[in-house]
Amino acid sequence: QAYWRVAQETLVWFLFLALISTLAISLILRIILRPLQGVEKQAIALTHKQYIEQPRIPKTRELPRVVQPMNQMVRQVHQMCEEQSQNIEELRRQAYRDDLTGLPNPRATRAQLGERLDYRQDFGPCALLYVHIDNLQALNQTLGAEKTDNFIRLLATQIEETGTAAA
């Protein structure tokens, strides 16, 4: 009976210590693996075009090998997206702006006119001005390319200022 009682007490102590050990190990693992939750959040944020980095690098041996490359990847993806955005803006500017005058080109004018006609909303007062310079080639030969370009820029500036003042 003494052996049986000691065995029961030992079993109770064993179960109690096993439960305490399991809880302690679980808590320690959560603390140690917390940076992986940060990596998961980084990955999810990347899918939403958000670029977060983990400021704290874990002190364990293996986890910095995951966290640091992930931070580096986030920086590179952010940089690539910024460059792409700048390239897109530059292409959009080139597609819809005249290089010489900086004013909207015919493509942009047609798009704006089509939008205003399609929606049939009141966009306020507006005007469409089409300027055609007769014998531009002869003017270019007579004055030279630089003076002709300066004349066109001056004309564009005057038109833009008139449009701005009228609005």
Side-chain angles (χ1 to χ4, degrees):
Q1 282 186 338
Y3 286 133
W4 179 247
R5 189 175 38 81
V6 168
Q8 285 178 331
E9 288 176 3
T10 303
L11 179 64
V12 169
W13 275 108
F14 174 77
L15 291 175
F16 177 72
L17 291 176
L19 180 66
I20 296 295
S21 298
T22 302
L23 292 175
I25 289 172
S26 174
L27 181 65
I28 290 170
L29 280 176
R30 281 186 188 209
I31 292 170
I32 290 174
L33 297 177
R34 189 172 295 149
L36 288 181
Q37 291 173 344
V39 169
E40 179 185 9
K41 288 178 184 175
Q42 282 180 304
I44 291 170
L46 272 177
T47 64
H48 295 95
K49 294 185 180 181
Q50 298 171 342
Y51 310 100
I52 57 173
E53 290 186 42
Q54 289 193 54
R56 294 187 322 187
I57 304 298
K59 297 188 180 14
T60 58
R61 271 190 314 184
E62 294 80 12
L63 291 178
R65 294 181 193 164
V66 175
V67 172
Q68 288 173 337
M70 188 67 178
N71 281 345
Q72 184 177 3
M73 184 183 76
V74 166
R75 284 191 294 273
Q76 287 177 344
V77 167
H78 182 71
Q79 181 181 359
M80 287 181 349
C81 288
E82 287 295 318
E83 289 172 0
Q84 288 299 320
S85 293
Q86 290 172 355
N87 289 341
I88 288 169
E89 280 304 313
E90 179 62 23
L91 289 173
R92 184 177 292 135
R93 189 193 64 73
Q94 289 175 358
Y96 291 109
R97 290 275 172 206
D98 180 67
D99 288 336
L100 181 62
T101 63
L103 293 175
N105 65 13
R107 179 184 294 145
T109 304
R110 281 191 298 273
Q112 285 180 357
L113 184 60
E115 181 181 325
R116 291 180 184 222
L117 292 176
D118 286 346
Y119 289 111
R120 306 222 185 271
Q121 292 178 341
D122 184 17
F123 286 97
C126 62
L128 174 63
L129 182 63
Y130 180 79
V131 177
H132 177 78
I133 302 172
D134 283 333
N135 298 322
L136 183 61
Q137 188 72 343
L139 185 65
N140 203 7
Q141 289 176 353
T142 305
L143 297 176
E146 187 177 338
K147 286 185 179 181
T148 304
D149 286 351
N150 288 339
F151 168 71
I152 293 171
R153 281 190 204 103
L154 180 64
L155 180 62
T157 303
Q158 291 297 319
I159 292 170
E160 191 171 31
E161 287 176 0
T162 302
T164 305

